[in-house]
Amino acid sequence: MQLHLNAQSKFPPVDKSPLDFSYYPVNYPILRIQEKAKEPLMARVTYSRPQKNGRKVFGELVEYGSIWRLGANEATEIELYRDAKIGSARVKKGRYTLYAIPTTDKWTIILNKDTDVWGAFLYDPKKDVVRMEVPVQHNTDALECFSMYFDKTNGNVSLFIGWDTEMVRVPISFF
């Protein structure tokens, strides 16, 4: 029996804000497959990457003082494979939603227990695990796509979050 489908009507179009992952250690899946991983997987961020597309991002597209899902589509999630300290808060290993409340000079970074949510429409502050403020770094070069990456410098791990001309650094240490 031959199956005839109209592929255009069954498959969704390519998303304008593609899904991406960031790992710590950086490039962990590739290192693991190459048998070059020196550390176990400690964290993974799953997020969508909207693009600037000539828009003013902060203060317009992303409103200052309002809860933001850190990207587009589903709320960004971080999975910790070990207990960690984020800012000054101890956090048990597990999966959390990451939000931010940006202002011009600082962002409030939030880890929340409610996962698998779309946007920040159902955000419940009673489920917050961490709230911390981090200073904004303003750059002269604009970053077209919303981006997140882990970096280890001087023995400390940081999650860098940036878009347009703004970037923040979230300190993380693992136990």
Side-chain angles (χ1 to χ4, degrees):
M1 175 178 166
Q2 192 174 33
L3 183 62
H4 297 282
L5 294 175
N6 178 348
Q8 294 300 320
S9 67
K10 300 293 180 189
F11 292 99
V14 174
D15 197 288
K16 292 179 182 178
S17 300
L19 186 66
D20 206 349
F21 299 88
S22 184
Y23 296 89
Y24 182 78
V26 176
N27 293 326
Y28 179 80
I30 294 167
L31 294 172
R32 183 173 178 208
I33 230 169
Q34 295 173 345
E35 298 181 355
K36 294 180 181 176
K38 295 178 179 155
E39 297 177 87
L41 180 60
M42 295 188 200
R44 176 181 68 191
V45 174
T46 305
Y47 68 106
S48 290
R49 301 186 69 185
Q51 299 177 27
K52 183 172 163 56
N53 286 332
R55 302 176 288 183
K56 179 169 173 30
V57 173
F58 293 102
E60 288 186 17
L61 182 62
V62 175
E63 295 178 26
Y64 283 128
S66 295
I67 192 79
W68 176 41
R69 66 183 131 193
L70 284 172
N73 303 329
E74 286 190 42
T76 293
E77 291 187 358
I78 185 168
E79 187 160 2
L80 303 171
Y81 295 89
R82 289 188 166 178
D83 291 351
K85 187 171 150 186
I86 298 179
S88 61
R90 293 179 72 94
V91 181
K92 294 280 187 197
K93 74 178 184 175
R95 191 164 55 108
Y96 303 90
T97 301
L98 265 174
Y99 295 103
I101 300 172
T103 66
T104 55
D105 60 339
K106 67 181 180 233
W107 290 9
T108 300
I109 300 296
I110 302 165
L111 264 75
N112 187 280
K113 289 188 269 189
D114 199 13
T115 58
D116 302 310
V117 294
W118 184 268
F121 303 106
L122 299 176
Y123 167 71
D124 182 355
K126 293 181 201 123
K127 296 181 181 178
D128 288 353
V129 175
V130 173
R131 270 184 170 250
M132 64 176 291
E133 291 183 351
V134 292
V136 173
Q137 297 174 15
H138 296 277
N139 302 310
T140 54
D141 296 328
L143 192 58
E144 178 64 25
C145 296
F146 176 73
S147 299
M148 300 177 86
Y149 73 95
F150 290 97
D151 192 26
K152 185 175 185 178
T153 308
N154 300 326
N156 298 314
V157 177
S158 296
L159 174 61
F160 287 88
I161 305 168
W163 195 16
D164 197 2
T165 58
E166 295 192 14
M167 182 176 70
V168 298
R169 181 182 70 82
V170 179
I172 303 173
S173 53
F174 294 95
F175 303 111

